[in-house]
Amino acid sequence: DPFKKLEAEGLLHLHYDAIKSSDNAKGELHCYYNPEMSSSDIEREIVSYEAILVRPKEITPLAIQNGANLKLIIRGGSGVNTIAVKQAKDKGCIVENTPNQNSIATAEFTFLSIMELLCNRHFHKATTDTYAGSPGAIEQYAGSELYGKTIGIVGYGNIGSKVANRCAAFGMNVRYTSRTMKAVEYEFYSSVEELVSSNLENGATRW
């Protein structure tokens, strides 16, 4: 539920009631779903909106300017980097996001990419060749192990911490850098430069 954070904080009902009771709404709340809208489409259509929920689409300063009735912008995901936050706040428009809603999926995708890049076991090719009845020499499918490798994680937030735990579960040496040291067993470095330097100083392989 993309509104889980807002509802938990009591914000969803606050915004809903404020919008529904406005002069423009006349006691009714109409919802429109259009995932095909571009940022330029939003700039034109937003004039009649009091609230808008977007995921990757950009809410530009022009869209904020055109949104005469706009009171609430929700970014379905972490961060608000696609929203013209300053212009929204200057206009008195509330900007919210929904962090943690996709952090597990993002961490899993990141870990999948790590396995693909570091293990390189040619799983897809081996499967395709086997089903085709023409598997090649086993050497061409040889890969590597994650166990014992060192990974540096920049930022230990919702996603970074989940990636770290998955890497540790596979026996990787986890190092991280963050604005503050966390109460975890992984090695902490105060900057990206120190993190990279420690990797090279210890003779680890750069992947």
Side-chain angles (χ1 to χ4, degrees):
D1 184 352
F3 296 113
K4 186 175 181 181
K5 170 180 177 287
L6 298 178
E7 190 168 18
E9 296 180 358
L11 293 174
L12 180 59
H13 299 296
L14 172 65
H15 299 332
Y16 174 86
D17 292 340
I19 292 170
K20 188 175 179 181
S21 62
S22 68
D23 294 336
N24 193 53
K26 294 182 174 61
E28 296 180 345
L29 189 65
H30 301 276
C31 298
Y32 301 93
Y33 176 68
N34 188 353
E36 305 303 321
M37 289 184 74
S38 66
S39 294
S40 57
D41 291 333
I42 293 173
E43 290 173 348
R44 291 192 301 270
E45 299 291 333
I46 203 169
V47 63
S48 61
Y49 294 172
E50 295 203 52
I52 186 168
L53 189 154
V54 294
R55 283 187 62 78
K57 302 296 173 62
E58 183 180 5
I59 302 297
T60 64
L62 179 58
I64 303 294
Q65 178 182 326
N66 292 344
N69 301 307
L70 196 63
K71 297 177 178 62
L72 172 66
I73 301 171
I74 301 175
R75 164 72 162 85
S78 300
V80 289
N81 56 301
T82 58
I83 310 298
V85 177
K86 183 181 183 303
Q87 287 79 2
K89 288 185 176 180
D90 289 345
K91 192 173 183 176
C93 181
I94 298 170
V95 178
E96 300 283 358
N97 65 349
T98 58
N100 296 325
Q101 296 303 307
N102 61 350
S103 57
I104 291 178
T106 304
E108 289 179 352
F109 180 81
T110 301
F111 187 72
L112 176 64
S113 300
I114 291 171
M115 292 192 69
E116 176 70 20
L117 292 170
L118 300 189
C119 293
N120 195 24
R121 294 188 179 276
H122 311 283
F123 180 80
H124 179 71
K125 176 174 172 53
T127 302
T128 302
D129 291 349
T130 299
Y131 272 101
S134 57
I138 193 171
E139 290 79 10
Q140 68 177 308
Y141 308 120
S144 183
E145 296 179 345
L146 290 182
Y147 184 85
K149 285 187 170 63
T150 299
I151 183 167
I153 297 177
V154 179
Y156 198 84
N158 292 326
I159 297 171
S161 60
K162 291 176 174 60
V163 173
N165 292 338
R166 284 156 177 74
C167 291
F170 275 68
M172 299 186 74
N173 303 311
V174 178
R175 299 170 180 172
Y176 74 98
T177 180
S178 182
R179 284 176 290 186
T180 57
M181 182 182 293
K182 311 299 180 182
V184 293
E185 60 185 8
Y186 312 130
E187 294 182 58
F188 169 74
Y189 292 85
S190 58
S191 68
V192 176
E193 291 75 17
E194 286 186 8
L195 181 64
V196 173
S197 297
S198 71
N199 193 42
L200 299 178
E201 288 171 2
N202 291 324
T205 302
R206 294 188 67 174
W207 295 84

